[in-house]
Amino acid sequence: KAGVTQTPRYLIKTRGQQVTLSCSPISGHRSVSWYQQTPGQGLQFLFEYFSETQRNKGNFPGRFSGRQFSNSRSEMNVSTLELGDSALYLCASSSFGRGQDTQYFGPGTRLTVL
Amino acid sequence: SQQGEEDPQALSIQEGENATMNCSYKTSINNLQWYRQNSGRGLVHLILIRSNEREKHSGRLRVTLDTSKKSSSLLITASRAADTASYFCATAPGNNDMRFGAGTRLTVKP
């Protein structure tokens, strides 16, 4: 099976802009989770989608949003970018989600906000 | 918020030595997972150990779980330079989503 893919791999934006990141899960996986990783805060959970429904959301402002399509592909959007949004954004897919089984991670999207 | 805390934060050893990393967590769990991350890349799953298991092996990896102490350890035997990476433990308290610790940075010197 093909692994989890994320596009784009690198992105440079300026403050105030918005960005959309994409994640294609492993075929057959219905759960997609998103994480933000920074040197200062480590890996922080953003949200999880399962069968097109957001099941859980982390402690992030409303500028961070996401969605999942019927083919389980997921996108996350960050509006009104701030310098502090510079991070590695990781998505992970699994069959059941909620930590019940192994999560398979994509390579990440490195976002730099100038 | 983070659920697990790894110890030590950084570990440096010589090739061939064993490396032990510890993880403590706060609430009851159904399972605990260990992941590895090479610099700036995605995480790779290593082992999942369920709450009713005490020990699990995978190749050169050995994971133990002590639910009474809310702690786990990851042992890498006969380490190699390629094992240089950050190692994270992760749990999903209350069947919510997975929370990761800050990680242990392992450096294996050739």
Side-chain angles (χ1 to χ4, degrees):
Chain A
K1 285 184 178 178
V4 178
T5 59
Q6 291 186 247
T7 56
R9 293 291 311 279
Y10 302 91
L11 208 48
I12 299 175
K13 292 286 187 179
T14 56
R15 281 180 298 174
Q17 288 187 310
Q18 75 166 18
V19 66
T20 299
L21 311 182
S22 180
C23 173
S24 292
I26 289 173
S27 177
H29 285 184
R30 296 162 69 185
S31 168
V32 174
S33 295
W34 288 90
Y35 298 86
Q36 180 196 65
Q37 186 177 31
T38 60
Q41 298 297 318
L43 270 159
Q44 300 285 317
F45 169 73
L46 281 158
F47 28 66
E48 188 235 2
Y49 286 88
F50 186 88
S51 293
E52 300 180 67
T53 300
Q54 185 183 90
R55 287 201 300 195
N56 209 349
K57 191 177 193 305
N59 189 26
F60 279 82
R63 300 185 297 106
F64 291 81
S65 64
R67 59 179 176 169
Q68 187 180 33
F69 302 95
S70 58
N71 61 358
S72 291
R73 189 177 70 85
S74 177
E75 289 180 347
M76 66 162 282
N77 184 77
V78 188
S79 62
T80 319
L81 284 165
E82 300 177 359
L83 295 179
D85 297 332
S86 294
L88 180 66
Y89 290 88
L90 295 162
C91 82
S93 76
S94 65
S95 296
F96 307 110
R98 289 186 169 174
Q100 297 177 66
D101 55 344
T102 298
Q103 287 197 328
Y104 295 87
F105 282 80
T109 294
R110 172 74 63 184
L111 172 64
T112 301
V113 181
L114 302 175
Chain B
S1 62
Q2 294 175 334
Q3 158 79 335
E5 292 293 335
E6 289 90 347
D7 171 63
Q9 290 186 334
L11 181 60
S12 181
I13 60 175
Q14 295 293 137
E15 226 173 11
E17 293 180 339
N18 295 342
T20 300
M21 289 158 266
N22 302 297
C23 169
S24 59
Y25 56 93
K26 299 174 184 173
T27 62
S28 62
I29 58 172
N30 291 320
N31 68 67
L32 184 143
Q33 302 184 37
W34 284 91
Y35 288 81
R36 182 187 76 224
Q37 183 180 35
N38 291 89
S39 183
R41 299 186 182 180
L43 279 70
V44 174
H45 181 260
L46 297 175
I47 285 185
L48 181 155
I49 185 166
R50 302 200 180 278
S51 59
N52 60 354
E53 297 175 307
R54 291 295 167 260
E55 189 170 311
K56 205 161 182 180
H57 297 255
S58 176
R60 293 183 297 112
L61 307 180
R62 172 179 166 249
V63 167
T64 62
L65 178 64
D66 187 336
T67 53
S68 66
K69 295 181 179 178
K70 291 187 169 60
S71 68
S72 174
S73 68
L74 169 66
L75 168 67
I76 304 174
T77 60
S79 61
R80 306 165 182 168
D83 295 328
T84 294
S86 292
Y87 292 81
F88 297 88
C89 68
T91 60
N95 274 340
N96 285 317
D97 292 277
M98 289 177 63
R99 309 297 165 119
F100 290 78
T104 292
R105 174 68 190 167
L106 173 65
T107 301
V108 181
K109 301 174 184 177

mmCIF file with all atom_site columns, all heavy atoms in Angstrom, chain B residues 93-107:
data_model
loop_
_atom_site.group_PDB
_atom_site.id
_atom_site.type_symbol
_atom_site.label_atom_id
_atom_site.label_alt_id
_atom_site.label_comp_id
_atom_site.label_asym_id
_atom_site.label_entity_id
_atom_site.label_seq_id
_atom_site.pdbx_PDB_ins_code
_atom_site.Cartn_x
_atom_site.Cartn_y
_atom_site.Cartn_z
_atom_site.occupancy
_atom_site.B_iso_or_equiv
_atom_site.pdbx_formal_charge
_atom_site.auth_seq_id
_atom_site.auth_comp_id
_atom_site.auth_asym_id
_atom_site.auth_atom_id
_atom_site.pdbx_PDB_model_num
ATOM 1   N N   . PRO B 1 93  ? -5.502  9.142  26.196 1.00 0.00 ? 93  PRO B N   1
ATOM 2   C CA  . PRO B 1 93  ? -6.291  9.070  27.423 1.00 0.00 ? 93  PRO B CA  1
ATOM 3   C C   . PRO B 1 93  ? -7.787  9.103  27.149 1.00 0.00 ? 93  PRO B C   1
ATOM 4   O O   . PRO B 1 93  ? -8.254  9.922  26.362 1.00 0.00 ? 93  PRO B O   1
ATOM 5   C CB  . PRO B 1 93  ? -5.834  10.304 28.213 1.00 0.00 ? 93  PRO B CB  1
ATOM 6   C CG  . PRO B 1 93  ? -5.256  11.222 27.191 1.00 0.00 ? 93  PRO B CG  1
ATOM 7   C CD  . PRO B 1 93  ? -4.692  10.354 26.124 1.00 0.00 ? 93  PRO B CD  1
ATOM 8   N N   . GLY B 1 94  ? -8.519  8.199  27.752 1.00 0.00 ? 94  GLY B N   1
ATOM 9   C CA  . GLY B 1 94  ? -9.963  8.177  27.588 1.00 0.00 ? 94  GLY B CA  1
ATOM 10  C C   . GLY B 1 94  ? -10.411 7.940  26.170 1.00 0.00 ? 94  GLY B C   1
ATOM 11  O O   . GLY B 1 94  ? -11.486 8.388  25.774 1.00 0.00 ? 94  GLY B O   1
ATOM 12  N N   . ASN B 1 95  ? -9.595  7.244  25.381 1.00 0.00 ? 95  ASN B N   1
ATOM 13  C CA  . ASN B 1 95  ? -9.921  7.001  23.973 1.00 0.00 ? 95  ASN B CA  1
ATOM 14  C C   . ASN B 1 95  ? -10.115 8.285  23.190 1.00 0.00 ? 95  ASN B C   1
ATOM 15  O O   . ASN B 1 95  ? -10.853 8.322  22.200 1.00 0.00 ? 95  ASN B O   1
ATOM 16  C CB  . ASN B 1 95  ? -11.150 6.100  23.836 1.00 0.00 ? 95  ASN B CB  1
ATOM 17  C CG  . ASN B 1 95  ? -10.784 4.638  23.897 1.00 0.00 ? 95  ASN B CG  1
ATOM 18  O OD1 . ASN B 1 95  ? -9.632  4.279  23.668 1.00 0.00 ? 95  ASN B OD1 1
ATOM 19  N ND2 . ASN B 1 95  ? -11.747 3.822  24.226 1.00 0.00 ? 95  ASN B ND2 1
ATOM 20  N N   . ASN B 1 96  ? -9.510  9.333  23.668 1.00 0.00 ? 96  ASN B N   1
ATOM 21  C CA  . ASN B 1 96  ? -9.443  10.543 22.870 1.00 0.00 ? 96  ASN B CA  1
ATOM 22  C C   . ASN B 1 96  ? -8.216  10.444 21.981 1.00 0.00 ? 96  ASN B C   1
ATOM 23  O O   . ASN B 1 96  ? -7.608  9.397  21.862 1.00 0.00 ? 96  ASN B O   1
ATOM 24  C CB  . ASN B 1 96  ? -9.382  11.772 23.771 1.00 0.00 ? 96  ASN B CB  1
ATOM 25  C CG  . ASN B 1 96  ? -10.732 12.070 24.369 1.00 0.00 ? 96  ASN B CG  1
ATOM 26  O OD1 . ASN B 1 96  ? -11.749 12.000 23.691 1.00 0.00 ? 96  ASN B OD1 1
ATOM 27  N ND2 . ASN B 1 96  ? -10.750 12.379 25.647 1.00 0.00 ? 96  ASN B ND2 1
ATOM 28  N N   . ASP B 1 97  ? -7.859  11.540 21.366 1.00 0.00 ? 97  ASP B N   1
ATOM 29  C CA  . ASP B 1 97  ? -6.778  11.431 20.402 1.00 0.00 ? 97  ASP B CA  1
ATOM 30  C C   . ASP B 1 97  ? -5.411  11.384 21.038 1.00 0.00 ? 97  ASP B C   1
ATOM 31  O O   . ASP B 1 97  ? -5.226  11.753 22.183 1.00 0.00 ? 97  ASP B O   1
ATOM 32  C CB  . ASP B 1 97  ? -6.903  12.552 19.389 1.00 0.00 ? 97  ASP B CB  1
ATOM 33  C CG  . ASP B 1 97  ? -8.141  12.344 18.540 1.00 0.00 ? 97  ASP B CG  1
ATOM 34  O OD1 . ASP B 1 97  ? -8.039  11.579 17.568 1.00 0.00 ? 97  ASP B OD1 1
ATOM 35  O OD2 . ASP B 1 97  ? -9.200  12.894 18.878 1.00 0.00 ? 97  ASP B OD2 1
ATOM 36  N N   . MET B 1 98  ? -4.467  10.897 20.254 1.00 0.00 ? 98  MET B N   1
ATOM 37  C CA  . MET B 1 98  ? -3.152  10.624 20.790 1.00 0.00 ? 98  MET B CA  1
ATOM 38  C C   . MET B 1 98  ? -2.406  11.886 21.159 1.00 0.00 ? 98  MET B C   1
ATOM 39  O O   . MET B 1 98  ? -2.440  12.880 20.447 1.00 0.00 ? 98  MET B O   1
ATOM 40  C CB  . MET B 1 98  ? -2.341  9.823  19.787 1.00 0.00 ? 98  MET B CB  1
ATOM 41  C CG  . MET B 1 98  ? -2.846  8.402  19.655 1.00 0.00 ? 98  MET B CG  1
ATOM 42  S SD  . MET B 1 98  ? -1.948  7.488  18.427 1.00 0.00 ? 98  MET B SD  1
ATOM 43  C CE  . MET B 1 98  ? -0.332  7.498  19.143 1.00 0.00 ? 98  MET B CE  1
ATOM 44  N N   . ARG B 1 99  ? -1.755  11.796 22.321 1.00 0.00 ? 99  ARG B N   1
ATOM 45  C CA  . ARG B 1 99  ? -0.940  12.899 22.803 1.00 0.00 ? 99  ARG B CA  1
ATOM 46  C C   . ARG B 1 99  ? 0.482   12.392 22.952 1.00 0.00 ? 99  ARG B C   1
ATOM 47  O O   . ARG B 1 99  ? 0.705   11.300 23.457 1.00 0.00 ? 99  ARG B O   1
ATOM 48  C CB  . ARG B 1 99  ? -1.468  13.412 24.156 1.00 0.00 ? 99  ARG B CB  1
ATOM 49  C CG  . ARG B 1 99  ? -2.969  13.713 24.150 1.00 0.00 ? 99  ARG B CG  1
ATOM 50  C CD  . ARG B 1 99  ? -3.339  14.821 23.198 1.00 0.00 ? 99  ARG B CD  1
ATOM 51  N NE  . ARG B 1 99  ? -4.772  14.869 22.921 1.00 0.00 ? 99  ARG B NE  1
ATOM 52  C CZ  . ARG B 1 99  ? -5.542  15.912 23.200 1.00 0.00 ? 99  ARG B CZ  1
ATOM 53  N NH1 . ARG B 1 99  ? -5.026  16.992 23.749 1.00 0.00 ? 99  ARG B NH1 1
ATOM 54  N NH2 . ARG B 1 99  ? -6.823  15.874 22.911 1.00 0.00 ? 99  ARG B NH2 1
ATOM 55  N N   . PHE B 1 100 ? 1.416   13.213 22.514 1.00 0.00 ? 100 PHE B N   1
ATOM 56  C CA  . PHE B 1 100 ? 2.820   12.822 22.493 1.00 0.00 ? 100 PHE B CA  1
ATOM 57  C C   . PHE B 1 100 ? 3.610   13.558 23.563 1.00 0.00 ? 100 PHE B C   1
ATOM 58  O O   . PHE B 1 100 ? 3.316   14.705 23.897 1.00 0.00 ? 100 PHE B O   1
ATOM 59  C CB  . PHE B 1 100 ? 3.425   13.137 21.124 1.00 0.00 ? 100 PHE B CB  1
ATOM 60  C CG  . PHE B 1 100 ? 2.920   12.254 20.022 1.00 0.00 ? 100 PHE B CG  1
ATOM 61  C CD1 . PHE B 1 100 ? 1.677   12.466 19.458 1.00 0.00 ? 100 PHE B CD1 1
ATOM 62  C CD2 . PHE B 1 100 ? 3.695   11.208 19.557 1.00 0.00 ? 100 PHE B CD2 1
ATOM 63  C CE1 . PHE B 1 100 ? 1.200   11.643 18.445 1.00 0.00 ? 100 PHE B CE1 1
ATOM 64  C CE2 . PHE B 1 100 ? 3.232   10.381 18.538 1.00 0.00 ? 100 PHE B CE2 1
ATOM 65  C CZ  . PHE B 1 100 ? 1.983   10.597 17.985 1.00 0.00 ? 100 PHE B CZ  1
ATOM 66  N N   . GLY B 1 101 ? 4.636   12.877 24.052 1.00 0.00 ? 101 GLY B N   1
ATOM 67  C CA  . GLY B 1 101 ? 5.571   13.528 24.954 1.00 0.00 ? 101 GLY B CA  1
ATOM 68  C C   . GLY B 1 101 ? 6.540   14.401 24.174 1.00 0.00 ? 101 GLY B C   1
ATOM 69  O O   . GLY B 1 101 ? 6.456   14.518 22.955 1.00 0.00 ? 101 GLY B O   1
ATOM 70  N N   . ALA B 1 102 ? 7.457   15.012 24.902 1.00 0.00 ? 102 ALA B N   1
ATOM 71  C CA  . ALA B 1 102 ? 8.425   15.926 24.292 1.00 0.00 ? 102 ALA B CA  1
ATOM 72  C C   . ALA B 1 102 ? 9.538   15.176 23.571 1.00 0.00 ? 102 ALA B C   1
ATOM 73  O O   . ALA B 1 102 ? 10.271  15.765 22.773 1.00 0.00 ? 102 ALA B O   1
ATOM 74  C CB  . ALA B 1 102 ? 9.008   16.855 25.344 1.00 0.00 ? 102 ALA B CB  1
ATOM 75  N N   . GLY B 1 103 ? 9.683   13.886 23.860 1.00 0.00 ? 103 GLY B N   1
ATOM 76  C CA  . GLY B 1 103 ? 10.659  13.092 23.136 1.00 0.00 ? 103 GLY B CA  1
ATOM 77  C C   . GLY B 1 103 ? 12.021  13.000 23.791 1.00 0.00 ? 103 GLY B C   1
ATOM 78  O O   . GLY B 1 103 ? 12.408  13.857 24.593 1.00 0.00 ? 103 GLY B O   1
ATOM 79  N N   . THR B 1 104 ? 12.727  11.943 23.453 1.00 0.00 ? 104 THR B N   1
ATOM 80  C CA  . THR B 1 104 ? 14.134  11.765 23.843 1.00 0.00 ? 104 THR B CA  1
ATOM 81  C C   . THR B 1 104 ? 14.976  11.824 22.582 1.00 0.00 ? 104 THR B C   1
ATOM 82  O O   . THR B 1 104 ? 14.724  11.077 21.637 1.00 0.00 ? 104 THR B O   1
ATOM 83  C CB  . THR B 1 104 ? 14.353  10.408 24.548 1.00 0.00 ? 104 THR B CB  1
ATOM 84  O OG1 . THR B 1 104 ? 13.701  10.415 25.813 1.00 0.00 ? 104 THR B OG1 1
ATOM 85  C CG2 . THR B 1 104 ? 15.837  10.137 24.737 1.00 0.00 ? 104 THR B CG2 1
ATOM 86  N N   . ARG B 1 105 ? 15.970  12.690 22.599 1.00 0.00 ? 105 ARG B N   1
ATOM 87  C CA  . ARG B 1 105 ? 16.865  12.803 21.449 1.00 0.00 ? 105 ARG B CA  1
ATOM 88  C C   . ARG B 1 105 ? 18.032  11.854 21.663 1.00 0.00 ? 105 ARG B C   1
ATOM 89  O O   . ARG B 1 105 ? 18.856  12.051 22.542 1.00 0.00 ? 105 ARG B O   1
ATOM 90  C CB  . ARG B 1 105 ? 17.361  14.238 21.328 1.00 0.00 ? 105 ARG B CB  1
ATOM 91  C CG  . ARG B 1 105 ? 18.408  14.448 20.245 1.00 0.00 ? 105 ARG B CG  1
ATOM 92  C CD  . ARG B 1 105 ? 17.824  14.268 18.881 1.00 0.00 ? 105 ARG B CD  1
ATOM 93  N NE  . ARG B 1 105 ? 18.874  14.229 17.839 1.00 0.00 ? 105 ARG B NE  1
ATOM 94  C CZ  . ARG B 1 105 ? 18.658  13.844 16.594 1.00 0.00 ? 105 ARG B CZ  1
ATOM 95  N NH1 . ARG B 1 105 ? 17.451  13.467 16.199 1.00 0.00 ? 105 ARG B NH1 1
ATOM 96  N NH2 . ARG B 1 105 ? 19.646  13.847 15.716 1.00 0.00 ? 105 ARG B NH2 1
ATOM 97  N N   . LEU B 1 106 ? 18.101  10.806 20.843 1.00 0.00 ? 106 LEU B N   1
ATOM 98  C CA  . LEU B 1 106 ? 19.165  9.801  20.960 1.00 0.00 ? 106 LEU B CA  1
ATOM 99  C C   . LEU B 1 106 ? 20.222  10.043 19.893 1.00 0.00 ? 106 LEU B C   1
ATOM 100 O O   . LEU B 1 106 ? 19.893  10.170 18.713 1.00 0.00 ? 106 LEU B O   1
ATOM 101 C CB  . LEU B 1 106 ? 18.586  8.394  20.795 1.00 0.00 ? 106 LEU B CB  1
ATOM 102 C CG  . LEU B 1 106 ? 19.603  7.253  20.722 1.00 0.00 ? 106 LEU B CG  1
ATOM 103 C CD1 . LEU B 1 106 ? 20.357  7.125  22.041 1.00 0.00 ? 106 LEU B CD1 1
ATOM 104 C CD2 . LEU B 1 106 ? 18.922  5.944  20.348 1.00 0.00 ? 106 LEU B CD2 1
ATOM 105 N N   . THR B 1 107 ? 21.470  10.094 20.328 1.00 0.00 ? 107 THR B N   1
ATOM 106 C CA  . THR B 1 107 ? 22.594  10.197 19.400 1.00 0.00 ? 107 THR B CA  1
ATOM 107 C C   . THR B 1 107 ? 23.473  8.978  19.601 1.00 0.00 ? 107 THR B C   1
ATOM 108 O O   . THR B 1 107 ? 23.909  8.704  20.721 1.00 0.00 ? 107 THR B O   1
ATOM 109 C CB  . THR B 1 107 ? 23.421  11.464 19.658 1.00 0.00 ? 107 THR B CB  1
ATOM 110 O OG1 . THR B 1 107 ? 22.571  12.612 19.522 1.00 0.00 ? 107 THR B OG1 1
ATOM 111 C CG2 . THR B 1 107 ? 24.569  11.575 18.663 1.00 0.00 ? 107 THR B CG2 1
#
